[in-house]
Amino acid sequence: MPKHRILVIDDEPLMREYVEEAMVRAGHAVDMAGGGKEGIALFDAKRHDVVITDLRMTPMDGLEVLRRVLAIDPAALVIVMTAYGTIETAVAALKQGAADYLLKPFAPDAVEVAVSRALERSRLAAENRFLRDELRAGHAGTLVGDSAPMREVLAQIERVAGSRATVLIRGETGTGKELAAHAIHQASARRDKPFIKVNCAALSAGILESELFGHERGAFTGAHERKIGRFELADGGSLMLDEVSEIGVELQSKLLRALQEREFERVGGTQTIPVDTRIIATSNRDLEKAVEKGAFREDLFFRLHVITITLPPLRERREDIPALMDHFLARSNRENGRNVRGFTEETRKLFLDYEWPGNVRELQNAVERAVVLSTDAMLAPEHFQLNASLANRQDNGLVPGMTVAEAEKRLIMRTLAHCGDNRTRAAAMLGISVRTLRNKLKEYGMQHRLSNAV
């Protein structure tokens, strides 16, 4: 498959053929036009990655070609060719939006370099726009915690970061799956390349396909210019597919091919684009059940399931709560220009007793809200809205309407935490065998606790 499609516009046949030969040798597909009017018609009818046009043509010169091409597609890449004596015209073309210029006579390699440079600049510009938007949205953060479950998660991240294997990060909403994905990227050799995210649950199927793979001008109503997709933006780096379970079955097949072949086509395009993009997927749903119901492709599940990291809910790592409280207090003070000193002992007990159904994200939001609204130096229980939730559950952590299986899981996990992950002591307290406890941990996806002391 050709790398890119190039349009060459020149009223001199020998020059058109000279440029065509250089582009074909570089692996590109080429269309040619003998004048500006013909070239504009070709560009309007087809999708070209780069336009190479001569400046001195009649009746339509290269500057007019440039203006009309950019009117059709403001993101188009146009390289102008000119003789040495008209270099001022080439400079004028650059001011009007040309990507580069070539001085005649030039070697074939010079054309290849100019085209490659223009394409790379375009990709970097799109990447920079995306990353600026991400920074403005504010997604900085780090994993906090020194509990046994979090130490195991951090150890897994360190082990898998150096590979190029696909990683599936599982866990309840708010457990820090995005932070874990970013940590994998930062610990890898790809750290200097882009880390790109896409929320699969927030976009409709059509929009998601365009976000992932990009689209060509004219691919659908409203596609006025080419869009570079996030697979392409993340080339050389990492792409996080947040809530991958929400991708529709039809789009799953295209995603599977991109993962297997490391290539794809933009929406409305025929050019195959190779990429070296590492996929890190996240999900808070039971993907195995989705496969059973036919809502998720089994072959895609196995492709994503190469390496799995499971983030524990906050109720199963309560010993991390004090550190998280202090971390988010310092961060909220810094970001909001406040100087809240700390938490009362009653508040710390309140946080340790609470179940945190929204996990770390809920804790973060609770602390930030209190910091912003409070006028006191210390944050007391009345600064938070957790008491109502505490009143709805019994002291043993059971909630009316909870299933027996969930109640059993909570009892086992809280007993295990109480015993410092010592399975022998926990099993004795629960009145079950160590083997039964081990089987229950596997059932809950908590295999990381099997490596701790017995």
Side-chain angles (χ1 to χ4, degrees):
M1 294 292 292
K3 296 178 182 177
H4 297 90
R5 181 165 290 278
I6 313 296
L7 173 60
V8 180
I9 307 173
D10 200 308
D11 55 5
E12 296 182 17
L14 289 178
M15 180 56 68
R16 288 200 306 270
E17 294 171 6
Y18 181 77
V19 176
E20 178 194 27
E21 183 179 344
M23 293 292 91
V24 170
R25 187 185 68 181
H28 303 301
V30 181
D31 290 322
M32 294 191 293
K37 186 175 180 180
E38 180 187 355
I40 293 300
L42 272 173
F43 183 78
D44 197 28
K46 291 186 178 182
R47 302 174 182 90
H48 296 89
D49 298 287
V50 180
V51 176
I52 304 175
T53 182
D54 190 28
L55 279 177
R56 298 191 64 178
M57 298 184 295
T58 57
M60 185 187 294
D61 65 11
L63 286 178
E64 182 63 22
V65 169
L66 171 65
R67 283 191 287 269
R68 295 200 182 189
V69 165
L70 293 179
I72 295 170
D73 182 359
L77 301 175
V78 181
I79 298 173
V80 298
M81 300 181 292
T82 185
Y84 181 77
T86 56
I87 191 169
E88 294 84 0
T89 311
V91 173
L94 291 177
K95 291 180 179 179
Q96 294 181 39
D100 208 342
Y101 70 91
L102 290 163
L103 284 177
K104 297 179 181 178
F106 49 79
D109 289 350
V111 191
E112 294 182 32
V113 170
V115 168
S116 297
R117 187 165 53 205
L119 289 167
E120 180 63 11
R121 284 175 183 166
S122 176
R123 188 189 71 82
L124 289 174
E127 177 187 306
N128 288 336
R129 285 194 298 272
F130 179 85
L131 293 176
R132 282 198 301 271
D133 291 343
E134 290 291 288
L135 286 173
R136 279 196 292 269
H139 291 287
T142 184
L143 290 168
V144 175
D146 193 44
S147 62
M150 285 307 296
R151 286 199 301 271
E152 177 60 24
V153 166
L154 294 172
Q156 286 181 295
I157 288 173
E158 186 176 354
R159 287 195 296 268
V160 308
S163 73
R164 62 185 299 177
T166 299
V167 180
L168 176 61
I169 302 175
R170 312 180 79 161
E172 297 178 6
T173 298
T175 49
K177 297 186 291 294
E178 181 179 328
L179 294 180
H182 193 260
I184 292 171
H185 174 77
Q186 286 299 111
S188 74
R190 298 169 180 260
R191 67 180 66 88
D192 295 327
K193 296 294 184 177
F195 175 74
I196 306 293
K197 306 182 289 292
V198 59
N199 186 340
C200 302
L203 303 172
S204 65
I207 295 176
L208 180 57
E209 183 178 13
S210 174
E211 285 294 318
L212 287 174
F213 304 109
H215 62 251
E216 297 288 358
R217 178 175 57 88
F220 49 82
T221 302
H224 301 302
E225 61 184 53
R226 165 179 291 165
K227 176 185 177 67
I228 303 298
R230 300 196 189 187
F231 256 94
E232 202 168 346
L233 288 173
D235 188 22
S238 306
L239 174 64
M240 188 188 93
L241 301 177
D242 192 21
E243 301 306 341
V244 69
S245 59
E246 305 308 305
I247 297 178
V249 175
E250 291 185 3
L251 186 53
Q252 288 175 24
S253 60
K254 187 169 183 178
L255 174 60
L256 176 64
R257 185 215 163 189
L259 293 176
Q260 290 178 331
E261 307 297 332
R262 297 184 179 272
E263 62 183 25
F264 61 92
E265 289 82 37
R266 299 188 189 103
V267 177
T270 57
Q271 171 197 335
T272 299
I273 302 168
V275 288
D276 173 24
T277 301
R278 183 187 196 172
I279 300 300
I280 305 174
T282 75
S283 179
N284 63 4
R285 289 182 57 191
D286 189 329
L287 286 177
E288 290 86 349
K289 287 185 178 178
V291 170
E292 291 176 8
K293 295 177 180 178
F296 202 83
R297 291 179 61 119
E298 185 176 33
D299 46 4
L300 177 58
F301 170 71
F302 287 128
R303 172 60 64 173
L304 294 171
H305 200 255
V306 177
I307 296 173
T308 298
I309 296 176
T310 301
L311 293 183
L314 189 54
R315 62 182 174 273
E316 294 177 6
R317 57 181 188 105
R318 292 179 184 274
E319 55 267 52
D320 291 329
I321 289 176
L324 286 164
M325 294 171 69
D326 294 335
H327 170 76
F328 290 126
L329 175 65
R331 179 169 161 180
S332 297
N333 274 331
R334 183 173 63 251
E335 293 179 352
N336 295 287
R338 305 303 297 272
N339 191 30
V340 177
R341 290 208 312 268
F343 304 90
T344 66
E345 287 303 314
E346 292 79 8
T347 301
R348 292 192 180 275
K349 183 179 186 304
L350 171 70
F351 273 50
L352 287 170
D353 287 342
Y354 184 54
E355 288 296 302
W356 298 109
N359 293 295
V360 178
R361 184 179 301 154
E362 183 185 2
L363 189 152
Q364 176 184 351
N365 292 339
V367 171
E368 183 170 13
R369 185 187 306 112
V371 167
V372 171
L373 297 178
S374 174
T375 58
D376 299 327
M378 301 293 286
L379 296 178
E382 55 265 27
H383 293 117
F384 301 92
Q385 300 175 352
L386 307 181
N387 287 321
S389 298
L390 280 168
N392 288 330
R393 69 178 180 88
Q394 300 172 13
D395 289 340
N396 57 14
L398 302 182
V399 177
M402 178 185 295
T403 65
V404 173
E406 177 61 20
E408 178 190 68
K409 178 181 176 181
R410 291 197 181 191
L411 177 61
I412 289 175
M413 299 314 299
R414 294 193 69 172
T415 303
L416 197 62
H418 176 77
C419 295
D421 278 359
N422 186 306
R423 296 197 308 276
T424 302
R425 286 177 54 203
M429 289 184 67
L430 291 164
I432 59 176
S433 68
V434 173
R435 174 179 291 183
T436 299
L437 177 57
R438 184 185 298 113
N439 291 338
K440 288 294 181 181
L441 290 174
K442 288 182 178 179
E443 178 184 328
Y444 302 151
M446 304 295 291
Q447 291 92 332
H448 61 273
R449 294 202 169 184
L450 296 178
S451 60
N452 296 320
V454 298

